[in-house]
């Protein structure tokens, strides 16, 4: 019986250790604990569309202005946005929240941007917010950014969001599909 | 005895599984591991207060300038700040650190902003930093943003910070109360 | 035997509890699960170096312009960058990725900045991205910022990055050494 106890304690010790290690190392489950799909719609101010515009250039390099996107892949343009978030790809669907934040075009020879923004939900479906940050090499079919936190229904969330350009019309309108996979849910 | 061993192993397996799942799914403890309250004080540059100002407009939309906050809920104004952080609501209390970063007013029809900033501590109480990001719909009595990381005393911290406007004087001064609840402490 | 079963169950319960607590509280392992060192190189546009420049001022306070860094510790200057990332300190080494994002000088009486950026890797060594945010009191020999997320090879990463100014030449060139320690790897 003594031997059995020792073996048991050894087992327990091993389980315990594996847990401690698991906490920051490994055996993390790559199955998402929550999956969500949204669309958001960005209409950039161009001098003539103040009524409909949902975003505007607020920073630009020395060689550009704030009404027309800069040359060289818009390098240096900082855009702030408050875009409707919808459940499908229709701009006129009832929004379930707003995408609020900014993007900065950050490269001269190809279109790419850096994004910091939140989804702020205010619907019967979701309350709370999800916060995002990351690089958006927007000529790629899909781009992954980080879900860096959340509040309300998305308390303490972390995960990855995959961006896809679902549609665009010149420099004025684009629509992003956002596939959110949360791997930490509380 | 063979049966008992099998039952034991089954138990162990179940515990192990539940741990792996717990790592990214559930059974997370919603009791904070650390709670902190701070105040920070923002004095916006308005053309005449260079000596006292702790923040300044550095980006603005095409239709505005950088000395006066823009119309339409300040939409498009980007403000950088270096504000004193105090333990109570007195602007003249000895600061325990600085709040450094930016906010962007991001909506035309109501006051709301997007925040990216850090608390940088340098006191006998705290050393290190806490990093924050999130949406601040500032007309709401309380707003939750994310604690996205930390260093020093706040190594690897994550949590939620609740912002409350504790006082404001026109467009020049506001004071925020920040209730920080960390749920990941290392 | 009844007693033994009860003792066993108690043990199991205690292990289970400790796991739940460990999930967000403690027993976290402060040994990094991954360590990486990179250098990145920033050449600021100054009006005459458009061909070589990798960054540009795109926001500035009312009293400054966007070709020359502002007085008072550059307070209020917002710089966007797309800098080469190398494995050693040689600007001309083959880049393994790009550092893309922005910094804002945020203090009048000393040089300090707030950083939001990503390392976007595209080499045989690494694919994916790491996202960073935090305060950079750049006169300090070392400064810690947060790794707030990652994608691809760095899926769901979290950690701390230590910045060191490895070299600088006036206002035009600086090189940062970045020691990355990840404490959450998936």
């Amino acid at each position: 019986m003594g031997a059995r106890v020792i073996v048991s304690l050894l087992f327990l010790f091993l389980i315990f250790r594996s847990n401690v290690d698991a906490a920051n190392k490994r055996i993390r489950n790559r199955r998402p604990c929550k999956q969500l799909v949204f669309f958001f719609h960005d209409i950039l101010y161009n001098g003539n569309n103040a009524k409909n515009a949902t975003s505007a250039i607020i920073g630009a390099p020395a060689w550009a202005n704030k009404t027309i996107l800069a040359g060289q892949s818009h390098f240096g343009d900082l855009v702030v946005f408050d875009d409707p978030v919808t459940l499908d790809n229709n701009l006129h669907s009832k929004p379930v929240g707003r995408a609020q934040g900014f993007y900065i075009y950050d490269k001269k020879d190809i279109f790419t941007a850096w994004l910091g923004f939140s989804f702020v939900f205010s619907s019967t479906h979701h309350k709370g917010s999800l916060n995002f940050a990351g690089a958006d090499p927007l000529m790629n079919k899909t781009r992954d950014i980080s879900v860096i936190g959340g509040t309300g229904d998305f308390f303490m969330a972390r995960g990855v969001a995959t961006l896809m350009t679902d549609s665009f019309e010149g420099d004025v309108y684009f629509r992003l599909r956002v596939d959110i996979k949360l791997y930490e849910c509380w």
Side-chain angles (χ1 to χ4, degrees), chain A:
Chain A
M1 199 170 92
R4 291 248 312 277
V5 168
I6 288 162
V7 169
S8 296
L9 287 174
L10 261 172
F11 260 123
L12 294 176
F13 175 74
L14 287 172
I15 296 162
F16 186 74
R17 265 208 55 159
S18 76
N19 295 330
V20 173
D21 285 353
N24 65 329
K25 219 178 230 170
R26 186 61 19 119
I27 328 184
R28 286 293 191 30
N29 195 337
R30 287 209 185 196
R31 241 178 313 141
C33 45
K34 198 175 270 184
Q35 276 187 274
L36 303 145
V37 178
F38 297 104
F39 293 81
F40 74 95
H41 308 261
D42 192 77
I43 302 171
L44 184 61
Y45 176 73
N46 67 357
N48 303 308
N49 60 350
K51 205 168 142 28
N52 294 325
T54 63
S55 66
I57 304 172
I58 65 163
W63 56 84
N65 68 54
K66 290 187 279 198
T67 312
I68 299 164
L69 286 163
Q72 293 186 293
S73 310
H74 312 336
F75 176 74
D77 281 329
L78 162 60
V79 175
V80 62
F81 60 90
D82 166 43
D83 293 346
V85 174
T86 58
L87 294 174
D88 60 28
N89 65 4
N90 187 339
L91 170 60
H92 302 294
S93 294
K94 189 176 157 52
V96 295
R98 308 294 294 187
Q100 300 182 328
F102 69 96
Y103 51 87
I104 311 182
Y105 290 99
D106 55 20
K107 202 173 170 68
K108 279 187 273 188
D109 52 351
I110 200 171
F111 289 104
T112 182
W114 203 86
L115 291 167
F117 69 99
S118 303
F119 278 0
V120 181
F121 296 100
S122 54
S123 74
T124 47
H125 297 81
H126 304 294
K127 299 242 180 295
S129 67
L130 280 169
N131 300 317
F132 303 85
D136 178 13
L138 51 99
M139 301 309 282
N140 295 0
K141 189 157 185 272
T142 65
R143 301 85 74 179
D144 284 348
I145 61 172
S146 293
V147 180
I148 57 174
T151 66
D153 288 357
F154 303 101
F155 177 78
M156 289 291 287
R158 283 219 315 139
V160 171
T162 302
L163 308 180
M164 279 159 281
T165 303
D166 197 54
S167 170
F168 70 95
E169 289 167 24
D171 282 347
V172 172
Y173 175 76
F174 68 78
R175 178 170 69 234
L176 288 188
R177 180 189 157 109
V178 187
D179 279 38
I180 299 169
K181 290 187 179 140
L182 302 180
Y183 297 91
E184 293 194 14
C185 305
W186 282 60

